[in-house]
Amino acid sequence: GLVVLGTFDAASALVGHLPIWAFVAIRLLSGLGGAMIYAAVVASLASTENPERGFGVFMVLQFGLSGLGLYGLPYLLPGIGVIGMYLILGVFAFMALMLRDSVVHREKAVVESAIEIHTLLKPAALFAMFGIGLYETANFMQYTYSERIGIGFGLSNYEIGKALGIASLLGVPAALLVVWVGDRFGQLRPLLFAIALSVVAHLLLLKPTGPVSYYLAVLALGAAWAIGLAYFYAIEARLDPGGSIVVVGGFFTSCGSVAGPALAASLVQPDQFGSVIAAAIGVYTLAGILAVASVYVGRKN
């Protein structure tokens, strides 16, 4: 997967010399490599003794490195250009090969779990996978219009960007909290706490009341997102330590990240985001119900 990702990321540097169909094909192959890596990593984490802590570290790196990348890219891009960016991504992928030994000993389990279709069709697994998909749908519904919502609260584009940047970075200490807490409170209670925190944050966004409310809401959402996603992964891992549910659950999270903006766009009114926020609260609630159902059905089995 790393070889595929690195090769086609580097090949993307030829963007100025390729027809559009060829560039799209290269990016699709790069995405395939990324998906292969993701599947191997999350399946490996699922088979650890404390998957909560493993996925907490995963969230630390995901939020931390992406935050650094988004912060630094505007400064680097003028100097290196798009070609340089793709070459750097390719180099990073090949550098990651040095970390392959951290997951290679679990490859056999990953391959075997990927064909356990009967595991994926169990009610507890279906509840967990649909639940995490809905959780990401709700997260992305508000996030899609976070900039426009901020303007309604009287913030400038600079202030909104600053708030969202801090919220993204807040995901790092929130994920570190997951690493520290682990399974002391199980997986369901921390997840429901994250969902409840997200709902409260959305309630703050229902009616523009000033910058403080907006800041509090987006900061709470940044923390809740990291905590909730880590524990949703952990619920899936506890159902199937082999990792097949976590891997396929990743497909559902990707679907949620696409469905969220689409659903939000179908509900939004000119300069009115109440329907989007209310719908997101409903989707969070449904995700929580599915999480509860997954855990309790899983315990009976």
Side-chain angles (χ1 to χ4, degrees), residues 84-169:
M85 178 188 70
Y86 281 127
L87 289 175
I88 289 175
L89 290 175
V91 169
F92 281 169
F94 284 109
M95 288 175 62
L97 282 170
M98 294 184 292
L99 302 176
R100 180 176 178 273
D101 288 342
S102 65
V103 295
V104 69
H105 64 286
R106 304 187 188 276
E107 284 183 350
K108 186 173 184 291
V110 172
V111 173
E112 290 177 351
S113 66
I115 60 173
E116 293 179 358
I117 302 300
H118 66 281
T119 300
L120 300 175
L121 295 179
K122 291 181 177 179
L126 292 172
F127 289 148
M129 292 186 295
F130 277 103
I132 198 172
L134 288 173
Y135 183 67
E136 282 294 85
T137 298
N139 284 329
F140 276 94
M141 286 178 70
Q142 175 277 143
Y143 191 75
T144 302
Y145 290 103
S146 55
E147 184 264 342
R148 303 307 304 171
I149 293 172
I151 290 177
F153 276 73
L155 279 72
S156 66
N157 287 331
Y158 171 78
E159 292 170 327
I160 294 169
K162 183 179 178 180
L164 294 176
I166 295 173
S168 178
L169 292 175

Side-chain angles (χ1 to χ4, degrees), residues 118-244:
H118 66 281
T119 300
L120 300 175
L121 295 179
K122 291 181 177 179
L126 292 172
F127 289 148
M129 292 186 295
F130 277 103
I132 198 172
L134 288 173
Y135 183 67
E136 282 294 85
T137 298
N139 284 329
F140 276 94
M141 286 178 70
Q142 175 277 143
Y143 191 75
T144 302
Y145 290 103
S146 55
E147 184 264 342
R148 303 307 304 171
I149 293 172
I151 290 177
F153 276 73
L155 279 72
S156 66
N157 287 331
Y158 171 78
E159 292 170 327
I160 294 169
K162 183 179 178 180
L164 294 176
I166 295 173
S168 178
L169 292 175
L170 191 60
V172 175
L176 285 172
L177 181 64
V178 174
V179 176
W180 179 70
V181 172
D183 62 351
R184 296 180 189 181
F185 303 103
Q187 298 83 44
L188 184 59
R189 280 181 286 181
L191 171 59
L192 293 180
F193 166 77
I195 290 176
L197 183 60
S198 298
V199 169
V200 171
H202 277 66
L203 292 174
L204 289 175
L205 296 174
L206 268 175
K207 185 177 180 180
T209 55
V212 174
S213 295
Y214 182 82
Y215 269 93
L216 289 174
V218 297
L219 292 177
L221 287 169
W225 200 333
I227 295 171
L229 203 55
Y231 278 106
F232 237 129
Y233 279 132
I235 287 174
E236 294 177 330
R238 294 291 182 180
L239 291 171
D240 174 31
S244 57

Side-chain angles (χ1 to χ4, degrees), residues 11-38:
S12 299
L14 300 173
V15 56
H17 307 281
L18 294 172
I20 185 64
W21 64 265
F23 179 72
V24 171
I26 287 174
R27 295 312 302 158
L28 286 173
L29 290 169
S30 171
L32 176 63
M36 293 165 63
I37 298 165
Y38 170 86

Side-chain angles (χ1 to χ4, degrees), residues 8 27 32 63 75 87 171 179 266 276 299:
F8 288 102
R27 295 312 302 158
L32 176 63
F63 279 82
Y75 298 98
L87 289 175
V179 176
S266 69
V276 174
R299 286 174 181 173

